[in-house]
Amino acid sequence: MKKIKLRALEPEDLDLLYTIENDMSLWDVGITNVPYSRYVLHDYIAQAKDDIYSDRQVRLIVENEDGEVVGMADVVNFDPQHRRAELGIVIQKDFRHAGYAFAAVQEVLQYSLHILHLHQVYVIINEQHVEVINLFNKLAFKESARLSDWLYDGREYHDAILLQRIL
């Protein structure tokens, strides 16, 4: 299994954040559908308190054993009353299919349980992304619902699957 490290977002990560947030191929898997300027992302990094209670989210950089940045993980839509949050993960193209997503999700789950004290984590995935669904199934996420016409890619709607993991 790949060894990874999660760390806080640093100003030096601006180029990575800019690349990921403006990658149109990722827009159909999340809620972003507009490009972000470097200025806006710079302000985001500078103003983020890294406090999930005030920001309602935390963004973590995923580094491999060599200290290379391989991706980013988000814990968003944090609900402290019900102790749950949504998980998002992006692995850079050059590092995909190498086990980093699996290792990163495992680390985020440990962080969510032991540091954030969450009861559950969930993901919403386009039903066409079978490989991603299989990844989360291997990590003991269970399908909870099918969401009709949930994601729009600019041309057509796609159903999504809600997967949950009770921690």
Side-chain angles (χ1 to χ4, degrees):
M1 178 157 96
K2 293 289 184 183
K3 291 187 180 184
I4 60 97
K5 176 180 137 186
L6 300 176
R7 65 165 175 80
L9 192 62
E10 298 285 351
E12 296 78 25
D13 298 315
L14 177 60
D15 288 339
L16 169 72
L17 190 58
Y18 182 81
T19 299
I20 289 173
E21 293 293 350
N22 291 298
D23 183 347
M24 292 175 69
S25 71
L26 299 174
W27 288 1
D28 71 327
V29 298
I31 59 169
T32 299
N33 63 0
V34 296
Y36 285 96
S37 70
R38 287 185 187 282
Y39 179 80
V40 167
L41 295 172
H42 177 271
D43 277 0
Y44 168 77
I45 293 171
Q47 294 176 12
K49 296 173 185 66
D50 291 329
D51 176 4
I52 197 164
Y53 287 94
S54 62
D55 295 338
R56 293 293 193 243
Q57 66 177 357
V58 64
R59 182 164 275 172
L60 301 163
I61 297 298
V62 180
E63 290 184 344
N64 67 12
E65 57 277 5
D66 296 324
E68 297 173 294
V69 175
V70 299
M72 188 168 57
D74 292 323
V75 179
V76 298
N77 297 325
F78 171 64
D79 184 333
Q81 179 181 356
H82 301 292
R83 297 177 46 217
R84 67 176 171 241
E86 183 177 355
L87 169 63
I89 186 157
V90 174
I91 300 298
Q92 295 192 85
K93 288 178 185 170
D94 291 346
F95 296 98
R96 291 182 188 162
H97 308 290
Y100 289 114
F102 188 89
V105 172
Q106 282 188 313
E107 285 296 314
V108 171
L109 292 173
Q110 290 302 309
Y111 174 77
S112 297
L113 176 63
H114 298 293
I115 305 300
L116 301 178
H117 307 290
L118 295 180
H119 172 65
Q120 67 176 289
V121 175
Y122 64 94
V123 294
I124 299 173
I125 304 169
N126 184 324
E127 73 172 359
Q128 294 178 336
H129 297 173
V130 176
E131 189 175 358
V132 178
I133 293 167
N134 289 339
L135 166 75
F136 283 98
N137 284 335
K138 287 178 188 172
L139 288 158
F141 280 74
K142 302 294 180 208
E143 183 176 328
S144 298
R146 289 192 167 263
L147 307 167
S148 298
D149 288 350
W150 196 256
L151 301 169
Y152 184 65
D153 68 7
R155 295 178 306 279
E156 61 184 315
Y157 287 93
H158 300 275
D159 291 352
I161 297 174
L162 172 68
L163 298 164
Q164 292 174 284
R165 164 92 184 254
I166 305 300
L167 301 176

